[in-house]
Amino acid sequence: MHPMVNPHDWYKDAVFYEVPIRSFCDGNGDGFGDFDGLISKLDYIADLGVTAVWVLPFYPSPLRDDGYDIADYHSVDSRYGDMKDFRRFVTEAHRRNLKVVTELVINHTSVDNAWFQRARMAPKGSSERDFYVWSDTAERFPEARIIFTFTEDSNWAWDEAAGAFYWHRFFSHQPDLNYDNPAVHAAVFEILDYWLSMGVDGLRLDAVPYLYVREGTNGENLPETHAFLKKLRAHVDEHFPGTMLLAEANQWPEDAVVYFGEGDESHMNYHFPLMPRLFMAAALGDRNPIQEILARTPAIPDSAQWGIFVRNHDELTLEMVTDEERAFMLKTYARDPRAPMNVGIRRRLAPLMDNDPRKIRLMLSLLFSLPGSPFLYYGDEIGMGDDLDLPDRDGVRTPMQWDASENAGFSTGPSSALYAPPISDSTYGYSSVNVAAQEADPGSLLNWVREIIAVRSRHDVFGRGIVEWLDAADSAVLAFRLSHGETSILVAINLADRAAECNLPAGFDAFTGAPVAGPTVLEGYEFRWVTAR
Ligand code: GLC
């Protein structure tokens, strides 16, 4: 690392790996992935070359939203282990120089949370009752859209004990907390201190645009929400400097950048509008969707960083596209009638790419090339498939495929105990698609992913560079230069399934070291990273 680099900026050079603990590895044979299993696979994660692990919620939960419905913020769900296991996970991750990112789900709780159970019994107007947002009618805040369109038809649900409706932006079993109540702020800060004092390095702020509600608004991105985030950031900077806050703000670029504030809100935010456009560009064989959205993205503060991703544990969301673009995406990528889910597509990367290794690599080359810090979703490094017969988004959260043995090497328990069956179809099934087989094959996707991450990690310009767009004559070629200090790298990616010419500057191929100069033909879906000579 350069001596002048600020160690608090670690997220700028990070490569994140997203892990739902339940799906990764079962250490005790009960059919659920757990901390023990995850710890046993930390070497695998470190060997990928990633530098941070983002674990999905592991708190006690009825798991009606896979743990994003939290019943108790201060503990570990017994299916995943206990607090000792969590601490061991943090220590073992740190021992391998892996940062740990956990979830701060503070927009809503489970109905099973003691706060909610107390609220529904508490007298009207009391602070306990006002932990949540209540109403006598289901007509308030009509401007707020419904997010889970496949399951919900209102953002209000009736509670018999309270004799009132409560507000919820997601499932009706997930009441939203009331940020107008200062006691809620205090409770949230307490949770944050609790986990950060155990050495957590970063927090993903789940569903953060919706914290406040106000009459006459759509309840997204309100000034009050940003004011709260500034308060949260100031608290973190004061007590846990170097902790990274990652907003999950699925918004248009001009609204998304506001989550960076003036460098005084979140450090990172996912680039949600970019994500579907990577798929559009690949389908069209044309760079315009990518270049247009990035051109429309305002500059961000020095300390801020975009999170780049292609797939995650949710549906491939199509909220940040036009109606026409959404229709195109659904027609292209959701041909199976079971694939659409809410405003999106519940599929993994490999099936979206028709399992074409060249197209999978194209998408991953975009993930690892575009300015920002990449997030890799578990299983995408081996081209795992999905199971459209499972409900909701469970089909993209199936057991990690470690080897060809029973239960995909995920669990030693009886198959009937598994939280979900491993993928076993003839194309994506674990007998052929698994880590062990790909480790043994030098040409495998897994080994390619390891290589691209390793090469990327030698060039801090990917995480820190200023981008300059180069207009290649052929619009199939996405070309840009990233520069940081004395160093620069030229990226050229052919988005089309045909040869395309581009003019490369004199330099060296970052993978082979071979000299490069002048007009070059990129084969279909081929990409180049060229370091300056
Ligand atoms: C976030 C999570 C998603 C969850 C939702 C509601 O968007 O990514 O998985 O369902 O919050 O809790």
Side-chain angles (χ1 to χ4, degrees), residues 281-460:
L284 295 167
D286 191 296
R287 65 171 177 253
N288 274 319
I290 300 175
Q291 240 172 302
E292 271 171 23
I293 201 72
L294 291 176
R296 177 181 160 178
T297 303
I300 59 177
D302 267 356
S303 60
Q305 180 80 330
W306 287 112
I308 310 294
F309 69 106
V310 289
R311 291 298 301 113
N312 62 17
H313 64 289
D314 287 326
E315 68 276 26
L316 189 172
T317 161
L318 299 174
E319 286 160 289
M320 296 304 128
V321 295
T322 64
D323 290 346
E324 205 184 320
E325 290 166 338
R326 189 173 309 113
F328 173 79
M329 284 292 290
L330 290 169
K331 187 175 83 191
T332 311
Y333 290 111
R335 286 183 300 268
D336 189 304
R338 298 166 301 172
M341 162 63 47
N342 299 326
V343 191
I345 304 170
R346 50 178 195 139
R347 297 229 70 168
R348 265 198 184 263
L349 180 61
L352 286 166
M353 295 295 114
D354 297 319
N355 205 29
D356 178 339
R358 295 176 318 139
K359 281 161 79 180
I360 296 171
R361 288 174 201 212
L362 167 69
M363 294 308 290
L364 293 175
S365 68
L366 288 165
L367 171 68
F368 291 115
S369 298
L370 286 163
S373 295
F375 284 76
L376 177 65
Y377 185 49
Y378 92 101
D380 282 348
E381 73 276 24
I382 56 170
M384 257 169 69
D386 48 36
D387 185 346
L388 288 169
D389 288 332
L390 293 177
D392 198 356
R393 293 149 291 171
D394 293 358
V396 301
R397 305 172 182 179
T398 59
M400 178 68 177
Q401 296 171 198
W402 294 105
D403 58 42
S405 71
E406 212 191 337
N407 299 337
F410 160 77
S411 172
T412 55
S415 345
S416 58
L418 264 50
Y419 77 90
I423 305 282
S424 59
D425 63 54
S426 55
T427 312
Y428 301 102
Y430 63 90
S431 53
S432 51
V433 177
N434 64 62
V435 170
Q438 295 200 18
E439 283 191 321
D441 171 7
S444 68
L445 180 62
L446 175 60
N447 280 316
W448 180 86
V449 168
R450 286 175 172 163
E451 185 185 9
I452 191 171
I453 294 176
V455 175
R456 180 193 153 100
S457 303
R458 292 203 282 274
H459 302 280
D460 65 356

Side-chain angles (χ1 to χ4, degrees), residues 65 68 105 108 148 170-171 174 204 206-207 248 313-314 393 397:
D65 183 18
Y68 283 95
V105 185
H108 48 269
F148 283 168
F170 294 93
F171 287 121
Q174 284 169 319
R204 174 180 179 272
D206 183 69
E248 188 213 13
H313 64 289
D314 287 326
R393 293 149 291 171
R397 305 172 182 179

Side-chain angles (χ1 to χ4, degrees), residues 59-65 67-73 104-120 128 131-134 166-179 184 187-188 191 206-207 211:
Y59 319 102
S61 162
L63 299 186
R64 294 165 76 188
D65 183 18
Y68 283 95
D69 46 335
I70 300 179
D72 173 4
Y73 283 93
L104 193 64
V105 185
I106 53 171
N107 178 68
H108 48 269
T109 71
S110 162
V111 284
D112 291 2
N113 194 294
W115 293 342
F116 187 72
Q117 290 307 319
R118 186 182 66 183
R120 52 202 291 263
E128 287 77 18
F131 252 59
Y132 296 85
V133 181
W134 300 98
Y166 60 86
W167 180 246
H168 63 87
R169 289 310 303 263
F170 294 93
F171 287 121
S172 58
H173 55 75
Q174 284 169 319
D176 277 30
L177 288 163
N178 174 17
Y179 278 81
V184 168
V188 164
I191 298 167
D206 183 69
L211 298 186

